[in-house]
Amino acid sequence: MTAPNKTPEIKDAPRSGGMFVTVPRQDQDPLTKNRGKNPPLIDRLKKSGLDPQKLLDIARPGSATKSTTSLRHRLILIGFLLFVALPSAAFSAYMIFWASDQYHSTTAFAVRSANQAAATDILGMMLDSGSESPTSNSYIVNDYLQSQAIIEDLSHTIDLEAIFNRDQADWLFRLGTDLPIEDKIDYWNRMVDINFDATSGVIYVEVRTFHPDDSVTLATAILQRSEVLVNKLSEVNRRQSVRFAEETVARAEARLKVIRRQMLAYRDGTQEVSPEDNAKIAMEMISALDQQVVAKQAEMKTLATYLNSDSPRIRLLYEEINALESQITTERQRLGGGTSGDNGTSANDNRLAVRISDYSDLKLEEEFANQFYTTALAGLEKARQDADQKHMYLATFIKPTLSQQAQYPQRFLYSFAFFLMLAGFWTVVVLMYYNIRDRT
């Protein structure tokens, strides 16, 4: 008998002039092979609702995993084609065949001051704190060119919707109609590039439209509006500088008028122009009276050597000396040399010394007010001179250029960027799927 594990052989019939060829028989399927040996097992599996072939596939190592992996790879490939390759190809075709040409115009300018102080002059910059700063105004112009104000100002002289909605403009890059101002600002900032170099203070403007002449027209209008803005800023700063000086002069003048009215009221009340001059006159009078007293006393002593004390001549001299001394005492009291005594407050206030003190205070305030007023006038004149000399202007380095060949849109760059965006999104989705699958 043939061994059970030995493969049976089939012998072909002999041919004339030939030889016998033995062909090995292929192994039968295990289920079919064992059906004859153990038919009750297959029948029991079928009666239980189980597929014997599927059970055999599960039992074979790696067969189910290979089929599942192959299906997953096919789905990933299909997803890449549907969501990355086809949209990228469609967008690239649109950019190459349908996207309209865009022509650019470039201009460059800077805000300059006619009397700009050197950067090393630290003291000058600290003292001239109210002067105009070209750098700060350059930032103002830079922000203005990217704001809603420039669109509203240009709309008075240029039809922006007509420029950005030409017939040759394609659907993707045209402006559109009846858009809100926020969308117009976003579109403006996409089509108009503003770059500010803080080191040199130069502002570079690049305008893109669908016709070369439109780009030049729009760039020229931007240059004009920037110049108008700089002139307004300079004029406002100049007016403020002069206004501050004028207010200072007005305050000094009002103060001087008040002091002069007080001086006039004082002179009207005392009925004297200057108490100091009256004091000089009083001192000269007292000095003259003292000289007369000394002379009379010397004469009386001389007469007393040969006349009696009761003689009329000596009594007359004695009376004259008393009168002169009384006059001297009165004049000294007017000057304030004596004590207040029983004169009272009103008598003390009428003394020449008190009047001189009040007059000196008023005179000092009047001199200070005069000096302040003179200084304020000089400051006003200097502010006016500075306003005439220190003004800002717009220095244009590059006039608006005319493009002869379209440089935009950058078709291959846009296509490649669109492909990278979709590929990145697709990669993230696939990685998230694998991550969720591994966790579950």
Side-chain angles (χ1 to χ4, degrees), residues 278-314:
N278 292 339
K280 292 180 181 179
I281 295 173
M283 292 301 297
E284 293 177 356
M285 186 181 298
I286 292 173
S287 178
L289 292 174
D290 286 336
Q291 292 178 1
Q292 291 180 13
V293 169
V294 171
K296 295 295 182 179
Q297 288 177 352
E299 183 179 359
M300 187 177 65
K301 288 181 180 180
T302 302
L303 293 175
T305 57
Y306 58 87
L307 293 176
N308 293 327
S309 58
D310 295 335
S311 63
R313 182 65 177 168
I314 291 178

Side-chain angles (χ1 to χ4, degrees), residues 202-418:
V202 179
I203 300 176
Y204 297 92
V205 179
E206 185 182 67
V207 180
R208 298 192 303 273
T209 64
F210 303 101
H211 195 275
D213 295 334
D214 290 340
S215 298
V216 175
T217 301
L218 189 56
T220 303
I222 292 174
L223 192 62
Q224 293 175 353
R225 295 307 309 175
S226 300
E227 187 174 3
V228 170
L229 177 62
V230 171
N231 292 335
K232 286 183 179 180
L233 294 174
S234 180
E235 185 64 25
V236 169
N237 202 336
R238 291 166 61 188
R239 285 201 304 266
Q240 288 180 352
S241 300
V242 175
R243 181 171 58 86
F244 293 153
E246 290 176 348
E247 291 177 355
T248 303
V249 171
R251 290 195 301 268
E253 185 177 0
R255 181 178 181 182
L256 182 59
K257 288 181 179 179
V258 172
I259 297 300
R260 286 182 176 177
R261 284 196 294 267
Q262 293 178 358
M263 183 67 74
L264 179 61
Y266 173 82
R267 288 173 178 173
D268 187 42
T270 58
Q271 295 183 353
E272 58 184 359
V273 178
S274 174
E276 295 177 351
D277 295 339
N278 292 339
K280 292 180 181 179
I281 295 173
M283 292 301 297
E284 293 177 356
M285 186 181 298
I286 292 173
S287 178
L289 292 174
D290 286 336
Q291 292 178 1
Q292 291 180 13
V293 169
V294 171
K296 295 295 182 179
Q297 288 177 352
E299 183 179 359
M300 187 177 65
K301 288 181 180 180
T302 302
L303 293 175
T305 57
Y306 58 87
L307 293 176
N308 293 327
S309 58
D310 295 335
S311 63
R313 182 65 177 168
I314 291 178
R315 288 200 298 272
L316 180 61
L317 290 173
Y318 183 75
E319 293 296 334
E320 291 178 353
I321 290 172
N322 289 335
L324 292 173
E325 290 179 349
S326 177
Q327 184 66 28
I328 291 173
T329 301
T330 302
E331 294 297 333
R332 290 185 182 278
Q333 288 179 354
R334 287 180 56 196
L335 290 175
T339 58
S340 59
D342 297 332
N343 293 331
T345 305
S346 61
N348 293 336
D349 293 341
N350 196 29
R351 289 179 300 166
L352 186 60
V354 177
R355 297 200 305 272
I356 290 175
S357 177
D358 295 338
Y359 177 78
S360 298
D361 293 340
L362 290 175
K363 186 177 181 180
L364 181 62
E365 291 183 3
E366 185 181 15
E367 290 178 354
F368 183 77
N370 280 325
Q371 292 179 358
F372 183 65
Y373 181 68
T374 303
T375 304
L377 286 178
L380 177 60
E381 186 64 24
K382 186 177 183 300
R384 289 175 177 174
Q385 293 177 358
D386 293 342
D388 294 335
Q389 295 178 359
K390 293 183 179 180
H391 66 278
M392 290 187 300
Y393 62 94
L394 197 70
T396 304
F397 297 99
I398 301 176
K399 294 183 179 180
T401 59
L402 178 63
S403 178
Q404 297 180 354
Q405 184 179 1
Q407 301 293 330
Y408 298 94
Q410 298 176 349
R411 307 175 191 276
F412 294 101
L413 180 61
Y414 277 105
S415 301
F416 184 67
F418 187 77

Side-chain angles (χ1 to χ4, degrees), residues 29-42:
D29 185 77
L31 292 177
T32 306
K33 178 180 179 180
N34 296 328
R35 181 171 297 177
K37 296 182 179 181
N38 196 7
L41 177 61
I42 298 176

